[in-house]
Amino acid sequence: MSCENAAQPRSNRDGQIRWYAGYVCSVKGDRVEIVIDLGAGATRGYQVIATRAGRRVEITTGRGVVEVSEVTRNGTLVRSARFMSARVIALVEHPADGEEPAGAS
């Protein structure tokens, strides 16, 4: 498996810029955890997981919204989750192969 090991922007067919932080590869098991503030001290956690080989998880931000999407190799959207960025407490990427993203210690 070969992965690029640097954070860099890439544009898709719609012209949106997407950041692939730490690694760029399509691996079953990639996942992103999101922790949301519900108010009154309550929180809720969500996960978006690349469920099949050849899929990846992408994160986009813009206009006060954080979107985490599972996409196929050719960029077709499989599923997505959207959150108000003001409510996002934590967003953690977990590569499937156990490697830490670039810059992690």
Side-chain angles (χ1 to χ4, degrees):
M1 175 182 78
S2 64
C3 297
E4 295 176 29
N5 206 10
Q8 55 186 329
R10 299 202 178 196
S11 60
N12 64 5
R13 286 180 280 168
D14 301 331
Q16 294 178 325
I17 301 295
R18 296 179 187 261
W19 283 88
Y20 296 87
Y23 63 100
V24 182
C25 54
S26 303
V27 180
K28 178 181 176 181
D30 280 356
R31 67 187 171 102
V32 174
E33 290 182 74
I34 307 102
V35 179
I36 304 298
D37 177 26
L38 299 176
T43 61
R44 178 174 290 165
Y46 297 92
Q47 289 187 9
V48 177
I49 302 171
T51 55
R52 301 179 113 188
R55 292 191 181 166
R56 65 183 181 271
V57 179
E58 294 182 351
I59 301 167
T60 56
T61 58
R63 296 188 180 198
V65 176
V66 174
E67 183 176 10
V68 181
S69 306
E70 178 185 358
V71 296
T72 61
R73 287 180 184 152
N74 63 3
T76 304
L77 181 67
V78 176
R79 74 186 90 226
S80 68
R82 286 185 174 186
F83 305 96
M84 292 174 33
S85 59
R87 295 287 185 178
V88 174
I89 296 172
L91 194 132
V92 182
E93 297 179 68
H94 299 279
D97 57 0
E99 294 178 8
E100 291 190 25
S105 54

